[in-house]
Amino acid sequence: MFTGIVEELGEIVAAEESSDAARLTIRGPVVVSDAKHGDSIAVNGVCLTVVDVVDGNAFTTDVMGETLNRSSIGGLGVGARVNLERAAAVDSRLGGHIVQGHVDGTGTVLSRSPQDKWEVVRVSLPDRLARYVVEKGSITVDGISLTVSGLGAEPGQGDWFEVSLIPTTQELTTLGASPVGTVVNLEVDIIAKYVERLQQRGGDATQQ
């Protein structure tokens, strides 16, 4: 489990591709400072497992075909910057919200609107995920826990949501520099999905 609070900007320094998987080497001195084989690290919001720690400042991880196909990870190459976060410790503060690192779908940056001291970013929202997103609720974009500041739909554009980036988020995450057209990973609030499931089952949590 993660919180969506990015710890550092990492960089993909090597990529070995096969027919249905890839092994990535990602530089991130902060997140590997206490990492070991089998630990979980979120890479742009995708929960990946550490295979090896390399030279104390990078780690290797295997990415299966399912993840490559369902997230933006498959489109990243050597030199790409990525958001990194270690799994949450049980004794730490929950600075963002509950993030599983299981990508529900991808969206595309539609527009960026600079304001006085922040920036509003609009992202497309797949139709099947729109019902889980509410204004002032939480959503994870490339592993970043963000608050939804606006919702809407446009003819020919479909559903979209907006988030407002403070200077810290702009400076310390990939979303601060992602141009219009960038594909981003989305994870909706897990609580919304559980509520929907309970309603489908008649609200009886003990129902067999």
Side-chain angles (χ1 to χ4, degrees), residues 76-143:
L76 301 179
V78 173
R81 305 299 299 276
V82 289
N83 299 317
L84 300 176
E85 181 192 356
R86 288 169 289 189
V90 294
D91 61 346
S92 65
R93 293 183 176 87
L94 185 62
H97 70 284
I98 297 174
V99 176
Q100 293 184 297
H102 301 160
V103 173
D104 293 306
T106 59
T108 302
V109 176
L110 299 174
S111 65
R112 305 186 68 102
S113 303
Q115 308 298 313
D116 183 23
K117 293 185 178 180
W118 69 91
E119 186 172 20
V120 177
V121 178
R122 179 175 294 186
V123 180
S124 65
L125 185 60
D127 179 67
R128 64 186 178 83
L129 298 182
R131 64 184 181 274
Y132 301 117
V133 182
V134 297
E135 192 168 349
K136 304 305 180 185
S138 296
I139 191 167
T140 307
V141 180
D142 270 355

Side-chain angles (χ1 to χ4, degrees), residues 9-13 26-27 44 75-83 174:
L9 275 172
E11 180 184 359
I12 297 176
V13 295
I26 302 172
R27 181 182 295 117
N44 277 5
L76 301 179
V78 173
R81 305 299 299 276
V82 289
N83 299 317
T174 57

